[in-house]
């Protein structure tokens, strides 16, 4: 068997492309994965009738019907609305910060006043990033809104961001926008149309995606152990044979280019899993701790599967997340959206476009979180992979 | 990376050899496995705090300290004594047939009489195969023992064997010897010194065995898809490159030789897994049904982990085993120990010895259940693999 496609990495980016290329274009695909399992950061395993996410809690949510329908070929779903409580001033209050949060934190008359001002100035059912609220309240010189903006900024964002990133919010592009303030009574963490969890876990879904006879999977293998990229010659060798075909890369982009422009930093996490002899430990799946402790949040996995599992077993598993620097031992979780790093990334990105000129017999595609050095939600990375697939398909037609 | 060793199959035979060769002799090993997971028939996964064995219940027991110590590098253990009840004449009685079984089945005075005769003729604490009991009782012309022997033969062995093998006991070599009659009060299914289950399941243990950087694992791949054996030339090609080194084969021997002497038959099983909303379904892990139903036995996995898990959750999983013919769709579980098949196997075995003359640059080793067409308990296959490893090590020294 000769391979038509090499895929480095078996997260969503790699697995969606492998699946499409094998099943739609009948390509022979070799997936190379350095971990001892498939599924990338979505890898989970069952314990006590629910699923534990090894690389941190993953909640699926999307507005993209195409993405949802695509994945529905490989899994059934169960409904799940994610809810998060933040520990602020000793109270557990709903996050994203919303009108209910106001009432939980402030005396009722004051909360009413703030609520009215928010609605008057921004409208109902609207999402505003905290930095925009800060700006606007200054601009309109409203002392109450200014107070509120500063309060939220400090209590919800500032210390959390420092803990999470070891940076000031100002240094990070767009990070605080990820959890905007919500001027409504909706306590859910996400408002997407599809909010679900895979019924038998993510790993089972990936197994089904990759079940084609056309797909071979090589585990425990860093691609550099079996693939040689000869940048001078413009050739790729797989097991010492010249490889011609499609090369999908979903690993770290700087590693691919042997760090020629320096290393791209990541934020990492240490996960502390704790098993407890209790039915439930938290009231909602996740609690954030912006201001206390070393960890940023605690998640209790059992909540995700509550709609199908009454939780009536005296066991639960929680995970605490301790942010840390990315080093040789931990995992590169979050690209750091800081200007200077994005500039380094741009240099690598240019190299990618050069590749396709130099390597006559290879088409390279750099896809996903690590290869594009940007944060992707799961649905977004699936969307992106499906787009890349369309691009490849079009390319083949024209040949 | 060039591979020094190809291993086909990741059950105990393949994994033990891969582990030893990688870790002791520092060989670069490629494991090729056609399933989408490692661990061979030992593959398990957790559910509700205990482990489900996908290819039928596997209980670890051995008298071999070396094997036990070897595996202990890769897992902690929990104690577990396997117990089996057979449904005979509407009663649940201990198996292997022992003195307690006598008392459960017969009126007390008659049981006492039989017990005395058994002990007088064979001794206490002794194991006798049913066919030997039959013979001996005839020989000494003891009507009571003859009755007992025939009773056990019919009620315990005959129909069970027919169901399990679709053959008469006489056609099968040594099958009824596997569960001899036990002249003692010991109700345990096994009497071995070490009777344990891997604390975190078999799959975790295999993951640890195969965690070396020297071991690469290729899943979803029948070795013939990437390896070409040129019998005429006496050469092996891996990904179209000539491969030189060690070739460990643990797949079906007839398949390796392209069925040149015909197909070796196997007995297969269909497993019907049933999930129940109960704490426990059976009193012991396994119940046999020699005479009723289409299935041979039911096993309840939860019992295996009772020493560490109080079972206090209202969920349990049982599996019914339905014997069937081996065909293209199911799995080859049991080599059939019938004379004519063993003769075919001998022909293949001769071919194996020829290989090592013809293939100058390859050393072939055929190891395990499928490659040696014989039933191995887990400990025996580990023992065998460790022996083969010693052989390889010695061979290398002399070079
Ligand atoms: C803590 C955390 C929580 C998250 N929660 C959510 C959530 O709730 N909802 C949501 O939508 N998204 C969430 N995400 C985002 C989600 O994890 C990503 O969208 C997804 O992982 C992107 O898929 P990917 O294929 O690009 O990368 P990955 O899943 O990381 O897959 C890349 C794969 O490539 C392999 N690889 C890397 N380098 C090499 C190499 N050199 N050789 C071989 N293999 C290699 C890696 O081992 C990995 O398996 C979360 C992310 C994190 C970090
Ligand atoms: C129902 C059942 C219950 C058992 N219970 C017990 C028990 O309680 N206690 C006990 O000690 N033993 C038990 N055994 C025996 C135990 O399963 C064997 O000892 C063990 O599986 C032998 O290991 P192996 O490596 O030889 O074979 P396997 O475990 O079968 O491994 C062989 C591997 O090779 C792979 N393979 C085959 N052909 C190819 C190919 N062409 N290309 C790539 N890969 C290939 C297979 O997919 C498989 O993963 C039981 C067996 C069965 C069938």
């Amino acid at each position: 068997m000769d391979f038509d496609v090499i895929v480095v990495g078996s997260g969503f980016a790699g697995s969606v492309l492998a699946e499409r290329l094998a099943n739609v274009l009948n390509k022979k695909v070799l997936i190379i994965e350095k971990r001892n399992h498939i599924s990338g950061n979505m890898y989970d395993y069952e314990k006590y009738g629910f699923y534990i996410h090894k690389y941190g809690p993953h909640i699926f949510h999307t507005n993209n019907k195409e993405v949802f329908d695509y994945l529905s070929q490989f899994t059934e779903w169960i409904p799940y609305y994610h809810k998060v409580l933040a520990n602020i001033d000793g109270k557990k209050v709903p996050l994203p910060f919303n009108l209910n949060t106001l009432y939980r934190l402030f005396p009722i008359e004051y909360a009413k006043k703030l609520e009215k001002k928010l609605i008057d100035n921004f409208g109902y059912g609207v999402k505003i990033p905290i930095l925009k609220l800060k700006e606007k309240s200054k601009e309109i010189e409203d002392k109450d809104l200014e107070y509120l903006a500063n309060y939220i900024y400090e209590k919800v964002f500032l210390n959390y961001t420092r803990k999470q990133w070891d940076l000031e919010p100002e240094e990070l592009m767009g990070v605080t926008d990820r959890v905007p303030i919500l001027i409504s009574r909706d306590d859910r963490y996400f408002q997407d149309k599809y909010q679900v969890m895979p019924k038998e876990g993510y790993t089972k879904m990936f197994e089904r995606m990759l079940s084609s006879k056309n797909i071979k999977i090589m585990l425990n293998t860093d691609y550099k152990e079996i693939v040689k990229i000869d940048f001078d010659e413009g050739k790729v060798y797989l097991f010492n044979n010249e490889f011609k075909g499609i090369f999908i890369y979903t690993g770290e982009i700087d590693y691919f280019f042997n760090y020629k422009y320096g290393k791209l930093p990541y934020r990492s996490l240490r996960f502390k899993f704790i098993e407890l002899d209790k039915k439930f430990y938290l009231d909602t799946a996740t609690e954030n701790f912006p201001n206390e402790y070393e960890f940023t949040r605690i998640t209790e996995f059992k909540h995700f599967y509550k709609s199908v599992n009454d939780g009536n077993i005296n066991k639960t598993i929680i995970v605490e997340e301790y942010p840390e620097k990315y080093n040789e031992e931990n995992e590169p979780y979050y690209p750091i959206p800081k200007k200077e790093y994005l500039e380094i990334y741009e240099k690598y990105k240019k190299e990618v476009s050069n590749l396709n000129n130099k390597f006559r017999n290879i088409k390279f595609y750099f896809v996903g979180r690590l290869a594009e050095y940007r944060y992707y939600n799961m649905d977004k990375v699936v969307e992106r992979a499906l787009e890349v697939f369309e691009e490849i398909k079009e390319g083949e037609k024209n040949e």
Side-chain angles (χ1 to χ4, degrees), chain A:
Chain A
M1 165 167 189
D2 277 327
F3 294 106
D4 307 311
V5 182
I6 291 174
V7 174
V8 176
S10 64
F12 267 125
S15 296
V16 169
L17 277 158
E19 185 281 322
R20 292 283 81 186
L21 290 163
N23 292 331
V24 181
L25 299 185
N26 198 24
K27 301 277 186 197
K28 310 270 177 251
V29 180
L30 174 65
I31 298 184
I32 308 169
E33 169 56 62
K34 70 177 173 188
R35 293 176 178 161
N36 68 356
H37 58 74
I38 57 167
S39 318
N41 284 348
M42 281 57 72
Y43 178 74
D44 60 6
Y45 53 91
E46 191 173 336
K47 194 135 196 194
Y48 305 125
F50 49 94
Y51 295 87
I52 313 302
H53 300 177
K54 179 166 175 185
Y55 304 98
H58 277 70
I59 295 109
F60 191 81
H61 56 102
T62 190
N63 282 314
N64 186 326
K65 180 170 179 338
E66 199 199 334
V67 164
F68 180 73
D69 288 345
Y70 170 73
L71 292 178
S72 303
Q73 299 174 262
F74 312 107
T75 186
E76 289 180 55
W77 304 99
I78 59 158
Y80 171 68
Y81 292 130
H82 193 46
K83 292 202 178 166
V84 177
L85 293 175
N87 284 269
I88 310 279
D89 293 351
K91 292 196 183 69
K92 296 181 196 302
V93 302
L95 208 71
F97 201 103
N98 64 36
L99 298 179
N100 294 328
T101 320
L102 269 188
Y103 283 91
R104 297 272 298 125
L105 283 170
F106 299 113
I108 183 156
E109 288 307 320
Y110 191 53
K112 271 189 187 162
K113 186 172 169 195
L114 290 169
E115 176 180 56
K116 187 170 182 312
K117 287 192 170 183
L118 282 170
I119 295 173
D120 288 351
N121 278 288
F122 301 96
Y124 187 81
V126 168
K127 291 180 176 184
I128 352 166
I130 177 64
L131 294 180
K132 209 178 143 202
L133 179 63
K134 265 183 102 172
E135 244 173 56
K136 178 82 185 207
S137 59
K138 249 197 188 142
E139 194 188 300
I140 60 172
E141 287 180 25
D142 185 310
K143 288 292 154 210
D144 290 321
L145 285 185
E146 239 180 288
Y147 169 77
L148 179 68
N150 283 328
Y151 180 92
I152 299 177
Y153 181 74
E154 265 175 43
K155 300 277 175 155
V156 180
F157 289 96
L158 186 60
N159 293 324
Y160 195 90
T161 305
R162 284 176 177 159
K163 242 200 250 184
Q164 174 81 334
W165 298 96
D166 199 18
L167 289 172
E168 297 301 305
E170 292 72 24
E171 296 178 87
L172 290 160
M173 294 162 75
V175 158
T176 55
D177 299 0
R178 290 183 194 166
V179 191
I181 287 143
L182 185 55
I183 308 186
S184 92
R185 290 263 167 168
D186 187 346
D187 270 349
R188 296 170 311 167
Y189 199 68
F190 306 113
Q191 278 66 43
D192 302 60
K193 178 157 176 197
Y194 305 97
Q195 301 192 36
V196 287
M197 298 294 277
K199 191 165 172 197
E200 294 163 281
Y202 288 100
T203 305
K204 252 280 152 2
M205 174 173 80
F206 277 86
E207 279 178 10
R208 293 205 195 94
M209 286 174 82
L210 302 180
S211 64
S212 159
K213 273 275 145 217
N214 279 343
I215 300 176
K216 305 299 162 199
I217 304 169
M218 190 132 174
L219 296 181
N220 284 16
T221 310
D222 187 309
Y223 78 100
K224 287 192 185 174
E225 296 180 277
I226 57 169
V227 169
K228 201 183 145 236
I229 315 271
D230 190 324
F231 289 99
D232 299 327
E233 253 196 310
K235 286 187 176 172
V236 169
Y237 295 88
L238 171 63
F239 302 116
N240 303 325
N241 294 335
E242 194 184 344
F243 169 78
K244 300 177 182 181
I246 295 168
F247 196 114
I248 313 276
Y249 186 72
T250 79
E252 291 154 79
I253 188 169
D254 52 351
Y255 178 69
F256 184 91
F257 292 108
N258 304 312
Y259 307 114
K260 67 189 281 191
Y261 300 120
K263 282 200 179 185
L264 287 167
Y266 285 87
R267 195 65 178 156
S268 190
L269 293 167
R270 183 169 58 82
F271 294 108
K272 188 170 165 191
F273 292 90
I274 303 168
E275 197 172 310
L276 300 163
D277 291 324
K278 304 191 70 174
K279 289 216 164 124
F280 281 100
Y281 180 74
L282 302 176
D283 294 331
T284 57
T286 299
E287 279 192 20
N288 281 19
F289 295 83
N291 307 304
E292 296 90 18
Y293 306 115
E294 299 296 308
F295 50 82
T296 50
R297 55 179 187 176
I298 301 182
T299 297
E300 185 171 22
F301 295 101
K302 214 172 168 182
H303 286 278
F304 298 157
Y305 286 83
K306 241 177 168 174
S307 67
V308 289
N309 179 339
D310 61 10
N312 205 23
I313 167 177
N314 242 12
K315 288 276 186 192
T316 191
I317 295 174
I318 62 170
V319 63
E320 296 172 351
E321 297 183 34
Y322 294 83
E324 54 185 30
K325 268 217 176 85
Y326 172 45
N327 54 40
E328 303 304 301
E329 264 121 67
N330 55 20
E331 296 282 337
Y333 285 117
Y334 298 107
I336 300 176
K338 211 179 150 182
K339 200 153 166 281
E340 60 180 290
Y341 306 143
L342 298 178
E343 282 165 9
I344 302 178
Y345 165 66
E346 287 301 324
K347 291 191 198 164
Y348 283 119
K349 198 176 158 191
K350 268 215 188 96
E351 292 288 327
V352 175
S353 17
N354 291 339
L355 285 181
N356 285 325
N357 300 324
K358 224 193 252 155
F359 289 70
R360 293 267 152 230
N361 295 314
I362 308 276
K363 290 226 173 101
F364 285 97
Y365 298 89
F366 280 58
V367 190
R369 195 171 68 79
L370 303 167
E372 299 181 75
Y373 197 65
R374 55 175 280 190
Y375 181 79
Y376 272 118
N377 268 326
M378 291 183 282
D379 62 327
K380 292 293 172 196
V381 86
V382 173
E383 184 179 308
R384 165 87 175 114
L386 291 174
E387 277 165 22
V388 171
F389 171 68
E390 287 305 320
E391 201 182 301
I392 295 173
K393 209 171 77 180
E394 284 309 306
E396 301 254 315
K397 264 195 210 150
N398 302 334
E399 258 167 25

